[in-house]
Coordinates of all heavy atoms in Angstrom, one line a residue:
L356 N 1.2 7.6 2.3 CA 0.6 8.9 2.1 C 1.3 10.0 2.9 O 1.3 9.9 4.1 CB -0.9 8.9 2.5 CG -1.8 7.9 1.8 CD1 -3.2 7.9 2.4 CD2 -1.8 8.1 0.3
I357 N 1.8 11.0 2.2 CA 2.6 12.0 2.9 C 2.1 13.4 2.5 O 2.4 13.9 1.5 CB 4.1 11.9 2.6 CG1 4.6 10.5 2.8 CG2 4.9 12.9 3.5 CD1 6.0 10.3 2.3
P358 N 1.3 14.1 3.4 CA 0.9 15.4 3.1 C 2.1 16.4 3.2 O 3.1 16.1 3.9 CB -0.2 15.7 4.2 CG 0.1 14.7 5.3 CD 0.7 13.5 4.6
A389 N -0.8 20.7 10.6 CA -0.1 19.4 10.9 C -0.9 18.7 12.0 O -1.1 17.5 11.9 CB 1.3 19.7 11.5
E391 N -4.1 18.8 12.4 CA -5.3 18.3 11.7 C -5.0 17.0 11.0 O -5.8 16.0 11.1 CB -5.9 19.3 10.7 CG -6.5 20.5 11.4 CD -7.0 21.5 10.3 OE1 -7.1 21.1 9.1 OE2 -7.2 22.7 10.7
F392 N -3.9 16.9 10.3 CA -3.4 15.7 9.7 C -3.3 14.6 10.7 O -3.7 13.5 10.4 CB -2.1 15.9 8.9 CG -2.2 17.0 7.8 CD1 -1.1 17.7 7.4 CD2 -3.4 17.2 7.1 CE1 -1.2 18.6 6.4 CE2 -3.5 18.1 6.1 CZ -2.4 18.9 5.7
E393 N -2.6 14.9 11.8 CA -2.3 13.9 12.8 C -3.6 13.4 13.4 O -3.8 12.2 13.7 CB -1.4 14.4 13.9 CG -1.0 13.4 14.9 CD -0.1 14.0 16.0 OE1 -0.4 15.1 16.5 OE2 0.9 13.3 16.3
K394 N -4.6 14.3 13.6 CA -5.9 13.9 14.2 C -6.6 12.9 13.3 O -7.2 11.9 13.9 CB -6.7 15.1 14.4 CG -8.0 14.8 15.2 CD -8.8 16.1 15.5 CE -10.1 15.9 16.2 NZ -10.8 17.1 16.5
I395 N -6.5 13.0 12.0 CA -7.1 12.1 11.1 C -6.4 10.7 11.2 O -7.1 9.7 11.1 CB -7.1 12.6 9.7 CG1 -7.9 13.9 9.5 CG2 -7.5 11.5 8.7 CD1 -7.8 14.6 8.2
G396 N -5.1 10.7 11.4 CA -4.4 9.5 11.5 C -3.1 9.5 10.8 O -2.3 8.5 10.9
Y397 N -2.8 10.5 10.0 CA -1.5 10.6 9.2 C -0.3 10.6 10.2 O -0.4 11.1 11.3 CB -1.5 11.8 8.3 CG -2.5 11.7 7.2 CD1 -3.8 12.1 7.3 CD2 -2.1 11.2 5.9 CE1 -4.7 12.0 6.3 CE2 -3.0 11.1 4.9 CZ -4.3 11.4 5.1 OH -5.2 11.3 4.1
R398 N 0.7 9.9 9.7 CA 1.9 9.8 10.5 C 3.1 10.5 10.0 O 4.1 10.7 10.7 CB 2.2 8.3 10.7 CG 1.1 7.5 11.3 CD 1.5 6.0 11.5 NE 0.3 5.2 12.0 CZ -0.4 4.5 11.2 NH1 -0.2 4.4 9.9 NH2 -1.4 3.8 11.7
R399 N 3.1 10.8 8.7 CA 4.2 11.4 8.1 C 3.9 12.8 7.6 O 2.7 13.1 7.3 CB 4.7 10.6 6.8 CG 5.6 9.5 7.1 CD 7.0 9.8 7.4 NE 7.7 10.6 6.3 CZ 8.3 10.0 5.3 NH1 8.3 8.7 5.1 NH2 8.9 10.8 4.4
L428 N 4.2 13.6 14.5 CA 4.4 13.2 13.2 C 5.9 13.0 12.9 O 6.7 13.7 13.4 CB 3.9 14.3 12.2 CG 2.3 14.5 12.2 CD1 2.0 15.8 11.5 CD2 1.6 13.4 11.5
T429 N 6.1 12.0 12.0 CA 7.5 11.8 11.5 C 7.7 12.8 10.4 O 7.1 12.7 9.3 CB 7.7 10.4 11.0 OG1 7.5 9.5 12.0 CG2 9.1 10.2 10.4
F573 N 1.8 15.1 -1.4 CA 0.7 15.9 -2.1 C 0.4 17.1 -1.2 O 0.4 16.9 0.0 CB -0.5 15.1 -2.4 CG -1.1 14.3 -1.3 CD1 -2.2 14.7 -0.6 CD2 -0.4 13.1 -0.8 CE1 -2.7 14.0 0.5 CE2 -1.0 12.4 0.2 CZ -2.1 12.8 0.9
I582 N -9.0 16.9 -2.4 CA -8.8 15.6 -1.8 C -9.5 15.7 -0.4 O -9.3 16.6 0.4 CB -7.4 15.2 -1.6 CG1 -6.8 14.8 -3.0 CG2 -7.2 14.1 -0.6 CD1 -5.3 14.4 -2.9
N583 N -10.3 14.7 -0.1 CA -10.9 14.6 1.3 C -9.9 13.7 2.1 O -9.7 12.5 1.9 CB -12.2 13.9 1.2 CG -12.9 13.8 2.6 OD1 -12.3 13.3 3.5 ND2 -14.1 14.3 2.7
M584 N -9.2 14.3 3.0 CA -8.1 13.7 3.7 C -8.6 12.5 4.6 O -7.9 11.5 4.7 CB -7.4 14.7 4.6 CG -6.6 15.7 3.8 SD -5.2 15.0 2.9 CE -4.0 14.9 4.2
K585 N -9.8 12.6 5.1 CA -10.3 11.5 5.9 C -10.7 10.3 5.1 O -10.4 9.2 5.4 CB -11.6 12.0 6.7 CG -12.3 10.9 7.5 CD -11.4 10.4 8.7 CE -12.2 9.7 9.7 NZ -12.9 8.4 9.2
E586 N -11.3 10.6 3.9 CA -11.7 9.5 3.0 C -10.4 8.8 2.5 O -10.4 7.6 2.3 CB -12.5 10.0 1.9 CG -13.9 10.4 2.3 CD -14.8 11.0 1.1 OE1 -14.2 11.0 0.0 OE2 -15.9 11.3 1.4
L587 N -9.4 9.6 2.2 CA -8.2 9.0 1.7 C -7.5 8.1 2.7 O -7.0 7.0 2.4 CB -7.2 10.1 1.2 CG -5.9 9.7 0.5 CD1 -6.3 8.9 -0.8 CD2 -5.0 10.9 0.2
W588 N -7.5 8.6 3.9 CA -6.9 7.8 5.0 C -7.7 6.5 5.2 O -7.1 5.4 5.4 CB -6.9 8.6 6.3 CG -6.3 7.9 7.5 CD1 -6.9 7.3 8.5 CD2 -4.9 7.5 7.6 NE1 -6.0 6.7 9.4 CE2 -4.8 6.8 8.8 CE3 -3.7 7.8 6.9 CZ2 -3.6 6.3 9.3 CZ3 -2.5 7.3 7.4 CH2 -2.4 6.6 8.6
D589 N -9.0 6.6 5.2 CA -9.9 5.4 5.4 C -9.6 4.4 4.3 O -9.6 3.2 4.5 CB -11.3 5.8 5.4 CG -11.7 6.6 6.7 OD1 -10.9 6.5 7.6 OD2 -12.8 7.2 6.7
Q591 N -6.8 3.9 2.6 CA -5.5 3.3 2.9 C -5.6 2.2 4.0 O -4.9 1.2 4.0 CB -4.5 4.3 3.2 CG -3.1 3.7 3.3 CD -2.0 4.6 3.9 OE1 -2.2 5.2 4.9 NE2 -0.9 4.8 3.1

Side-chain angles (χ1 to χ4, degrees):
L356 304 174
I357 310 174
E391 289 178 20
F392 298 149
E393 184 178 46
K394 186 176 180 180
I395 293 169
Y397 290 86
R398 303 183 184 96
R399 278 284 300 273
L428 293 167
T429 299
F573 52 105
I582 285 179
N583 182 307
M584 293 293 279
K585 178 65 165 61
E586 290 180 0
L587 186 62
W588 180 255
D589 290 343
Q591 188 189 54

